[in-house]
Amino acid sequence: MRRVVITGAGSINALAEGVGATKTALAAGRSGIGALQFPDVERLNVRIGAQIHGFAPQDRFDPGKLALYDAFTQYALVSGAEAMAQAGLENAPDPARWGCIIGTAGGGHGTANDAYRAVYAQGKTRVHPLTVPKLMANAAPAHLAIRFHLQGPGFAVSTACASSNHAIGLAFQMVRSGMVDGMLAGGAEAMLNFGGLKAWEGLRVMSPDGCRPFSADRNGMVQGEGAGVFVLETLDAALARGATPLAEITGFSMNCDASDIVMPDQDSAARAIAEALKDAGMAPEEVGYINAHGTATAANDRIETAAIRHVFGEAADHVAVSSTKSMHGHCIGATGAVELVACLMALQDGVIAPTINYGAPDPDCDLDVVPNEARRAQVGAVLSNAFAFGGFNAVLALRAI
Amino acid sequence: MRSQVHDQVLSIIAREAHREPADLRADMTLEELGLDSLGLVEVIFAIEEQFDISVPFNANDMAQAQFDISSVGAIVRAVERLMSGESPSAAVA
């Protein structure tokens, strides 16, 4: 089978715009979480989030095109442009052999929120005529495809918090199998609006005061937003055109709990981790870093710890495991893509991002969670976990190259 | 004497658990009644709507320090305290 590498990376999130600046923030243990700013925020009980500020889309995009770009599409386009530039590509080298998969949970959620506000709250009788093509979940991959001439396979994938890992994993499989030669893959999310947060609030899983994964005093998740987009191609093609591989994707697995719609399942999570290792031909002892799903809910962090311990055995005591959601928030459908930046930082730069806001050990989360401060380490292989509502689990395995 | 709040809370829990209010006892847990975490948030939502109050419950608060859900009776008492205007922290003691 063909070897698949990442040759370009792009991201925008509450920490920073750009992969370089995001890495700097992650390494510094900075928090992107603060007071949310949008209309009606005062009617929420939970008013914090990892929100992108000062983005100014009117300065970034052609006004004629911007009418079609929801924020999640804008974030995907900015990230895609950064990734393509790093890969040294203006467009897909062979359009019919290149495609695009973007993970998103809410799609154009802000556009839907604005349209509902117009007709229900403001009593208007019409909404913007481009509301449908703007809010559809496949708008982001569509506009990436238009921008970079990606005429091969393209679609959006929606598995809540695992969407990005599914997108990247499927793209990896397509390139590996020879179905395509290259893919843009990642995730994009922009659900930080009154309607989106009000819905999340009702589930009673959000923290009112901060994201503290694996810490005994954790009390829930904090929403984030943003995007991450990566250029995937074969190692041979990358080397042939003189591109620099950033890391190699070596394994992927996905499965389903097929049980509770929101409660994670330890056995399926463990099975997903084990199958990703198997697909990558990787032993637990080789893994130097796991980017945890680490949502800071009571249930996830306990169950994820148990799943890692089950698969890794004694090796679980020697692997660094951090949840960068403590910094960039839970970017839902984009979270795996933003978290892949932390994986690249470990593999490329030998810097493991910390779990910040870590206060007190929880005996049920007794892993090396890299508390509060980044750490230097030689890392040859990493895993990235995603365990979503719906019970859909997706784990990526990568190696340094 | 049982309060009106008591009867209304029991009626909400019974409805969510697909039971008759008369089948409920104060010492029963939601688990015994077959209510999972999502059933619980539906009970809390119904309580908020019924009494027009805001229930300070976070599913990640393992100590249930803000809103005691350990039994049917505990929930009734917690709602009565909220209705009487006592602060959530007072409800802990």
Side-chain angles (χ1 to χ4, degrees):
Chain A
M1 276 189 295
R2 311 197 303 173
R3 293 176 68 181
V4 182
V5 292
I6 296 172
T7 54
S11 180
I12 179 166
N13 55 76
L15 289 173
E17 177 175 348
V19 165
T22 300
K23 281 182 178 178
T24 302
L26 290 169
R30 222 154 63 209
S31 171
I33 294 168
L36 287 167
Q37 296 170 19
F38 49 68
D40 290 327
V41 67
E42 66 282 358
R43 290 169 57 204
L44 292 172
N45 295 316
V46 173
R47 297 176 192 170
I48 59 165
Q51 191 175 15
I52 294 168
H53 295 293
F55 180 64
Q58 67 279 5
D59 300 338
R60 311 290 193 104
F61 303 104
D62 178 76
K65 290 178 177 165
L66 190 56
L68 281 163
Y69 299 164
D70 179 90
F72 95 111
T73 298
Q74 296 168 24
Y75 298 157
L77 282 168
V78 163
S79 302
E82 183 188 2
M84 286 291 278
Q86 183 176 28
L89 294 170
E90 279 187 25
N91 288 304
D94 182 356
R97 299 280 303 162
W98 279 65
C100 181
I101 307 175
I102 294 296
T104 184
H109 200 280
T111 298
N113 189 68
D114 290 345
Y116 286 138
R117 182 187 292 278
V119 291
Y120 295 139
Q122 297 168 343
K124 292 186 177 174
T125 53
R126 60 183 72 83
V127 297
H128 191 279
L130 303 180
T131 296
V132 167
K134 194 175 171 186
L135 69 73
M136 62 191 192
N138 57 331
H143 287 295
L144 282 165
I146 292 166
R147 170 71 182 78
F148 298 111
H149 302 160
L150 308 163
Q151 296 181 319
F155 54 91
V157 53
S158 193
T159 47
C161 317
S163 302
S164 279
N165 276 18
H166 277 109
I168 295 162
L170 288 170
F172 155 68
Q173 289 183 329
M174 286 180 178
V175 177
R176 181 168 70 170
S177 72
M179 182 184 183
V180 295
D181 289 336
M183 293 293 286
L184 248 64
E189 200 71 81
M191 272 203 280
L192 299 183
N193 57 63
F194 178 72
L197 267 289
K198 187 48 91 176
W200 272 102
E201 219 175 68
L203 212 44
R204 308 274 173 170
V205 295
M206 309 249 290
S207 168
D209 51 23
C211 181
R212 299 181 285 277
F214 300 113
S215 186
D217 59 354
R218 69 187 181 279
N219 63 358
M221 54 194 282
V222 174
Q223 302 279 319
E225 65 176 344
V229 176
F230 303 86
V231 176
L232 275 55
E233 58 186 311
T234 66
L235 174 63
D236 289 347
L239 296 178
R241 65 180 189 82
T244 306
L246 311 179
E248 179 175 6
I249 305 182
T250 54
F252 172 57
S253 82
M254 50 183 167
N255 68 23
C256 183
D257 301 347
S259 55
D260 193 278
I261 195 75
V262 292
M263 278 296 283
D265 178 73
Q266 184 188 322
D267 292 343
S268 323
R271 191 160 53 90
I273 294 168
E275 292 291 326
L277 288 170
K278 189 178 160 200
D279 189 44
M282 202 179 270
E285 293 73 21
E286 292 179 71
V287 179
Y289 172 59
I290 300 174
N291 185 287
H293 192 54
T295 56
T297 61
N300 175 84
D301 296 1
R302 173 174 50 81
I303 287 169
E304 184 168 13
T305 299
I308 290 170
R309 285 213 165 273
H310 181 79
V311 177
F312 274 61
E314 282 186 16
D317 289 325
H318 307 291
V319 63
V321 181
S322 74
S323 171
T324 49
K325 288 183 177 74
S326 56
M327 293 178 272
H328 52 65
H330 192 337
C331 303
I332 314 294
T335 208
V338 174
E339 288 162 32
L340 201 59
V341 174
C343 293
L344 290 178
M345 184 168 78
L347 293 170
Q348 288 181 277
D349 311 327
V351 178
I352 296 178
T355 304
I356 69 163
N357 305 324
Y358 186 80
D362 176 351
D364 287 337
C365 302
D366 58 346
L367 296 165
D368 172 9
V369 300
V370 197
N372 299 321
E373 282 185 32
R375 183 186 302 163
R376 288 216 159 270
Q378 194 78 33
V379 177
V382 305
L383 294 181
S384 184
N385 289 343
F387 309 130
F389 278 2
F392 295 110
N393 309 302
V395 179
L396 293 165
L398 293 90
R399 281 186 197 278
I401 194 158
Chain B
M1 204 179 88
R2 291 190 335 196
S3 69
Q4 196 184 350
V5 170
H6 174 280
D7 291 350
Q8 287 172 319
V9 171
L10 247 63
S11 153
I12 287 169
I13 296 172
R15 189 175 68 229
E16 295 295 336
H18 306 292
R19 305 279 189 106
E20 290 301 320
D23 296 342
L24 270 54
R25 294 189 319 271
D27 64 335
M28 281 178 155
T29 65
L30 296 184
E31 200 176 359
E32 278 175 69
L33 291 165
L35 283 165
D36 62 6
S37 59
L38 293 184
L40 169 62
V41 297
E42 291 202 73
V43 165
I44 289 171
F45 172 67
I47 288 170
E48 290 183 321
E49 289 285 284
Q50 174 84 47
F51 301 108
D52 193 22
I53 54 173
S54 183
V55 174
F57 175 77
N58 177 342
N60 298 294
D61 176 13
M62 286 161 279
Q64 294 162 15
Q66 294 211 297
F67 188 79
D68 188 353
I69 54 151
S70 59
S71 68
V72 169
I75 293 173
V76 170
R77 285 191 297 279
V79 174
E80 284 171 343
R81 286 196 183 102
L82 279 173
M83 297 293 291
S84 72
E86 278 184 58
S87 70
S89 56
V92 178

